[in-house]
Amino acid sequence: MKDNFSSLFQYLKNENINIDQDEFELQAQSHPDYPSLLSIIDTLSFFNIENGALSVDATEIGLLPEQYLAILDATLGRPELYFIEKQANAYYAAKDHNRKILSKDELEKRWSKTVILVEKSDLTDVIPSNKSKLAGILPVLCAGMFALILLQHLAEIKSVLFLIFPILGILFSIAALKDLFGAKSKLLNNFCNITAASSCTAIIDSKKWKIFEFINFSDLSIVFFSSQLFGLLFFLLARNTVSYFTFQKTLLFCAVPILLLSVYYQKNIEKKWCPICLAIIAVIICELAFAMLTQPSYDLQIDSLVIFCFILFSAALGWHKLKKILADLKDMKESQLKSIRFMRNYEIFKNNLLSQERNKLAFSPIILGSRESELEISIITSPFCSYCKEAHEMLEKILLANKDSLKIKILINADIENLDEEKRTFFRILMTLYLDKGEDYFLKAFHDWFENKSIKDWITKYSIPFDVHKIDPIYQQQHQWCIANDSHFTPGLFINEYPYPRFYERESLFFFVKELLDDELFKIKDHAWI
């Protein structure tokens, strides 16, 4: 599987399932089995998207829904994930925003039997998007500033129009450094590889000349265009554009040998063309032509030269600092992915889990999920613990995905004898709700408590007769167990009575549940001590 989720995102969009795509990619890439199909399946489950991977013979294609994901054999290379959509008697296979028509015979020839189906769940829409609205506001602000400058300097319209060139130059320079900026664009990738003899990456990352170990054309272009942009804005405000264009024409003439050097390097050294580099060269040539045709005057002033040199130096220094920050952020992201992938490695988790001393837990009647399950996750909790809410939400998420195959046991650490009467009533009602009303009603009441945390309101809403002599001994036994085993902090997690490793985030448990369910070592053979 390639590092591309466009087919998946298109399928989810068609199913009206909205997710944060950047967050999805991060979670999938941090999966220990990335880039396998399992990493996609587990990440979909992490986002509360019901899904399933099925094996379907080519003869059963007609029985599938109108749209689904399927792994098809590629014309060249390994199989890839496609979004398949059936319309009338035709099949459309989409990947990387490219959509092609396949006949049923063609689809059967490329069929590899693996199909992924998803279904929208009730919790899917509550997943927040982390994308900032700033990304949409910035272009509007830039366009507004440009229009404002244009209106204020209509008399110098030719000078203002020159702004188009450095803006284009900066955009192309950023495109050349797309890996550093973290920019992803299928259009840009297609542009860079428009022919077999073109490759932006080969040119930009090349180190065949030693000078490129210290500076490259991308650095020069982004500093050059940035100084042009900020310089023109400054000199427009100072109403001294003649001096500005005097410096620019000098610099543009000096840039011509560098442009020729770049062309020579692409043609004779790397023997590949960089479309982005050629676009930057074209922008500079257009600038030179525009400046010579529209700005014939010359006016060299020392103070203006000092100001422009300061702007140029500031642009170079600013880019040097920004590039280091971007490089550090890129390294941090790669390190984060490696660290998360390491922490989510099941064998490492299992070894750490089994290194803990196994403790026989206190009795608790509160069992969620399948009572027959051989995998038991236990939590020692307190409704008045601020951290327990997140732990319970995580367990509910796990339970939702594995309700028929997993058992979750809840123990409540409450010193029932030393509580005030209101809190005693709260705990007694809570236990009685499970015993008399069942699992679903108990979860609803427990969830309601964590959302509102008003004892009086909660008791009024869920008031029910309770048996003190039946309920209190359960709490006393669980509290005494916590004292005897120095378990004073909540929430406390246990897997088949092994304490959850301390240096693992509780949220990581979600990624280990399926493997725990399949692991023979965690299947309880002796049920007498449960």
Side-chain angles (χ1 to χ4, degrees):
M1 303 282 305
K2 292 184 178 179
D3 180 13
N4 195 307
F5 301 99
S6 62
S7 304
L8 172 64
F9 294 149
Q10 188 173 350
Y11 177 38
L12 295 177
K13 182 180 179 181
N14 279 36
E15 291 287 342
N16 295 318
I17 297 175
N18 300 314
I19 62 170
D20 186 327
Q21 295 184 6
D22 292 335
E23 179 66 18
F24 186 96
E25 290 188 12
L26 174 65
Q27 295 294 340
Q29 290 169 356
S30 62
H31 193 284
D33 292 316
Y34 176 80
S36 69
L37 184 63
L38 179 62
S39 65
I40 293 179
I41 297 298
D42 284 350
T43 307
L44 286 170
S45 298
F46 176 77
F47 277 80
N48 295 316
I49 300 171
E50 296 181 16
N51 66 89
L54 310 174
S55 179
V56 179
D57 289 331
T59 56
E60 300 173 325
I61 291 176
L63 302 176
L64 289 168
E66 298 296 317
Q67 52 190 25
Y68 51 88
L69 290 173
I71 296 180
L72 303 182
D73 292 329
T75 307
L76 296 172
R78 56 187 176 178
E80 296 179 348
L81 192 64
Y82 285 82
F83 169 48
I84 308 297
E85 190 175 12
K86 182 182 179 182
Q87 294 182 5
N89 295 322
Y91 291 88
Y92 294 86
K95 177 174 176 57
D96 301 337
H97 305 291
N98 294 324
R99 195 165 180 257
K100 61 177 71 174
I101 301 177
L102 295 178
S103 67
K104 190 172 182 181
D105 289 338
E106 289 175 312
L107 185 62
E108 289 177 351
K109 287 179 183 178
R110 297 179 60 183
W111 195 255
S112 65
K113 296 186 177 182
T114 304
V115 172
I116 299 176
L117 297 175
V118 303
E119 183 178 351
K120 188 172 184 179
S121 67
D122 294 337
L123 296 178
T124 304
D125 285 337
V126 303
I127 299 170
S129 174
N130 294 326
K131 290 186 177 180
S132 172
K133 294 181 180 178
L134 189 62
I137 294 173
L138 281 177
V140 176
L141 288 177
C142 291
M145 290 176 62
F146 181 81
L148 184 63
I149 293 173
L150 188 64
L151 290 172
Q152 290 182 341
H153 297 85
L154 286 175
E156 299 181 80
I157 186 66
K158 294 178 181 178
S159 301
V160 173
L161 288 176
F162 187 80
L163 280 170
I164 295 172
F165 296 112
I167 290 173
L168 285 175
I170 290 173
L171 292 175
F172 280 121
S173 300
I174 291 174
L177 296 165
K178 59 185 175 66
D179 291 336
L180 185 63
F181 282 93
K184 298 178 183 178
S185 170
K186 180 62 181 176
L187 180 64
L188 187 59
N189 291 336
N190 290 338
F191 180 67
C192 281
N193 300 282
I194 196 168
T195 67
S198 62
S199 173
C200 296
T201 304
I203 304 300
I204 293 167
D205 295 338
S206 177
K207 296 292 186 289
K208 288 186 177 180
W209 282 359
K210 197 166 184 179
I211 188 173
F212 293 144
E213 295 178 6
F214 307 99
I215 193 169
N216 55 44
F217 289 125
S218 302
D219 291 326
L220 286 174
S221 66
I222 204 164
V223 171
F224 179 76
F225 290 120
S226 297
S227 64
Q228 277 189 332
L229 178 63
F230 293 114
L232 181 53
L233 290 174
F234 177 85
F235 281 96
L236 274 172
L237 294 173
R239 301 191 180 277
N240 188 12
T241 55
V242 175
S243 294
Y244 171 80
F245 281 101
T246 299
F247 307 140
Q248 288 307 311
K249 284 182 278 191
T250 304
L251 286 174
L252 288 168
F253 273 117
C254 293
V256 171
I258 299 176
L259 303 185
L260 296 174
L261 185 65
S262 174
V263 173
Y264 172 83
Y265 185 82
Q266 294 176 59
K267 185 176 187 299
N268 298 301
I269 306 300
E270 279 293 342
K271 297 181 180 179
K272 279 186 178 292
W273 294 104
C274 169
I276 290 180
C277 302
L278 295 177
I280 291 173
I281 291 171
V283 170
I284 294 175
I285 292 173
C286 289
E287 284 185 335
L288 180 58
F290 184 91
M292 294 300 296
L293 293 173
T294 63
Q295 305 289 338
S297 301
Y298 281 84
D299 182 19
L300 183 60
Q301 300 177 7
I302 299 300
D303 54 345
S304 298
L305 178 62
V306 171
I307 292 172
F308 184 78
C309 289
F310 175 77
I311 293 172
L312 182 63
F313 175 77
S314 299
L317 182 62
W319 170 241
H320 175 73
K321 297 293 184 183
L322 179 59
K323 185 179 181 181
K324 187 176 185 306
I325 292 171
L326 292 172
D328 289 342
L329 288 173
K330 183 183 176 185
D331 291 341
M332 284 174 63
K333 184 176 180 180
E334 291 174 353
S335 299
Q336 182 188 28
L337 287 174
K338 291 178 181 177
S339 299
I340 296 174
R341 199 173 293 149
F342 175 81
M343 291 296 289
R344 291 180 180 173
N345 182 286
Y346 175 68
E347 292 301 322
I348 295 173
F349 171 78
K350 184 174 75 171
N351 290 336
N352 281 279
L353 181 66
L354 295 177
S355 68
Q356 310 288 313
E357 184 179 351
R358 191 174 187 178
N359 295 319
K360 184 178 179 180
L361 298 176
F363 167 77
S364 175
I366 305 177
I367 295 176
L368 312 177
S370 172
R371 288 179 173 270
E372 303 303 319
S373 173
E374 294 176 318
L375 179 66
E376 176 186 283
I377 298 176
S378 304
I379 180 171
I380 300 176
T381 184
S382 170
F384 298 96
C385 162
S386 59
Y387 297 102
C388 289
K389 178 183 176 181
E390 293 179 3
H392 280 281
E393 288 176 347
M394 180 266 298
L395 288 179
E396 284 187 42
K397 192 179 190 180
I398 291 174
L399 183 65
L400 183 65
N402 307 276
K403 192 167 186 177
D404 297 330
S405 54
L406 176 67
K407 179 197 302 181
I408 294 179
K409 181 187 287 187
I410 297 179
L411 297 90
I412 300 174
N413 185 7
D415 187 2
I416 198 77
E417 294 180 349
N418 295 316
L419 294 175
D420 59 54
E421 193 59 35
E422 189 177 54
K423 287 186 178 180
R424 285 183 190 176
T425 302
F426 168 82
F427 280 108
R428 288 163 180 167
I429 291 175
L430 184 63
M431 184 69 72
T432 306
L433 287 175
Y434 176 82
L435 297 174
D436 292 359
K437 298 285 188 178
E439 174 182 329
D440 292 337
Y441 196 83
F442 168 81
L443 282 174
K444 177 179 178 295
F446 212 20
H447 183 77
D448 194 9
W449 161 254
F450 279 117
E451 288 299 319
N452 302 304
K453 288 201 172 182
S454 171
I455 294 182
K456 289 183 179 180
D457 292 344
W458 191 91
I459 291 175
T460 301
K461 184 176 181 179
Y462 294 100
S463 181
I464 186 175
F466 50 80
D467 185 347
V468 174
H469 301 293
K470 181 181 178 181
I471 301 299
D472 286 11
I474 298 174
Y475 283 117
Q476 290 168 358
Q477 182 185 2
Q478 292 179 7
H479 181 63
Q480 288 302 318
W481 183 93
C482 291
I483 293 174
N485 291 273
D486 293 325
S487 183
H488 305 297
F489 301 101
T490 55
L493 284 177
F494 295 81
I495 299 174
N496 281 23
E497 302 197 332
Y498 286 100
Y500 189 76
R502 291 184 180 180
F503 50 85
Y504 275 86
E505 296 288 340
R506 287 187 292 270
E507 292 75 13
S508 298
L509 177 58
F510 182 91
F511 295 94
F512 301 123
V513 169
K514 288 187 178 179
E515 289 173 292
L516 286 166
L517 286 167
D518 295 334
D519 197 323
E520 294 293 331
L521 285 174
F522 292 97
K523 291 185 177 179
I524 306 171
K525 303 301 181 183
D526 179 13
H527 293 264
W529 51 270
I530 299 178

